[in-house]
Amino acid sequence: MSLFRPTALRYIRNLGCATALVLGLLSLWSASAPASSGKSDEEPAVCPGQTFSQPFEAFGDSNFYTLVEGSEFNGGAEGWDLRNGAQVVEGTRPDGSSGGVLDLPSGAIAISPVVCVTLQYPTARTWVEAVDGNGGVTMGVYYAGAKPTGHAVGRLNAKEGDGWELSRPFNIKPQLTGSEEGVREVRFIYVNTTRAGDLRVWGLYVDPRMR
């Protein structure tokens, strides 16, 4: 089932406000999207199967992170929904190696696979690069069960010629689905809201509180 009707896509392209753009996009999500699963246990909920590392220690960030599935783009889209010209291209990654990166020309939209988070997952970070012009990518999150379901949570800005830049941490707001412990299913949304310009992103990392 298509997530976006053609008339809605034309409307999205014409929106002048980046926040309204993302929220308008997310409001069109299928009503059958997976809901969060709450529970009343006192112990913090745990997302199964996730692994953790400290990928940003060299940048003064010693927090542990879990990598969003497919966000290294080693094998094409890898479960991401790519729209309006978004595509995986061969490029130079932040570490200098060659491989897949997500290219987002003006108006492009990319939606991540479902990611498990809990109330203990407050923020996320990613890499962004401007390859043509200056601008930014608006970040959004979608939680089934939240009201409204979609929320803009940050903006990834970059300048052409500066190479890859590590974004500041942005709040992913797991509390939008309530204060009860339990796992939540979130999708991350990138929207290139610039009138012109081409940006690339790579490696989306979510930060759980680890004591």
Side-chain angles (χ1 to χ4, degrees):
M1 174 180 177
S2 175
L3 300 179
F4 310 106
R5 298 184 294 274
T7 54
L9 286 173
R10 286 195 293 271
Y11 171 69
I12 288 168
R13 294 191 191 99
N14 292 329
L15 284 173
C17 173
T19 300
L21 187 153
V22 173
L23 297 186
L25 168 66
L26 295 175
S27 69
L28 299 174
W29 197 271
S30 169
S32 63
S36 61
S37 174
K39 64 178 185 179
S40 57
D41 297 349
E42 292 184 1
E43 288 295 320
V46 176
C47 287
Q50 292 182 341
T51 58
F52 304 95
S53 64
Q54 296 170 291
F56 307 127
E57 278 191 298
F59 303 92
D61 179 354
S62 59
N63 291 351
F64 283 83
Y65 290 84
T66 185
L67 182 68
V68 171
E69 180 182 0
S71 67
E72 291 181 301
F73 304 104
N74 291 320
E78 292 192 296
W80 286 66
D81 188 357
L82 306 181
R83 304 277 174 142
N84 288 17
Q87 61 180 327
V88 177
V89 300
E90 187 78 8
T92 302
R93 292 171 167 178
D95 64 359
S97 65
S98 296
V101 297
L102 178 59
D103 185 64
L104 297 168
S106 178
I109 300 163
I111 306 168
S112 80
V114 169
V115 181
C116 175
V117 299
T118 75
L119 288 177
Q120 307 305 314
Y121 290 59
T123 60
R125 303 185 81 172
T126 188
W127 290 96
V128 60
E129 178 187 34
V131 294
D132 182 15
N134 303 328
V137 172
T138 298
M139 290 293 306
V141 292
Y142 172 88
Y143 289 95
K147 297 182 179 180
T149 52
H151 297 262
V153 293
R155 185 168 171 81
L156 313 175
N157 295 308
K159 294 182 179 180
E160 184 178 358
D162 283 356
W164 286 100
E165 301 177 45
L166 181 61
S167 76
R168 294 181 179 180
F170 53 89
N171 193 331
I172 66 172
K173 302 183 179 180
Q175 71 276 11
L176 288 170
T177 56
S179 58
E180 291 186 356
E181 277 294 343
V183 298
R184 289 131 168 88
E185 292 184 332
V186 61
R187 293 181 189 263
F188 294 92
I189 291 87
Y190 295 130
V191 184
N192 184 342
T193 54
T194 59
R195 292 184 178 274
D198 191 347
L199 292 98
R200 292 179 177 178
V201 294
W202 184 86
L204 178 56
Y205 296 83
V206 183
D207 173 21
R209 293 189 182 96
M210 299 187 71
R211 299 177 177 84

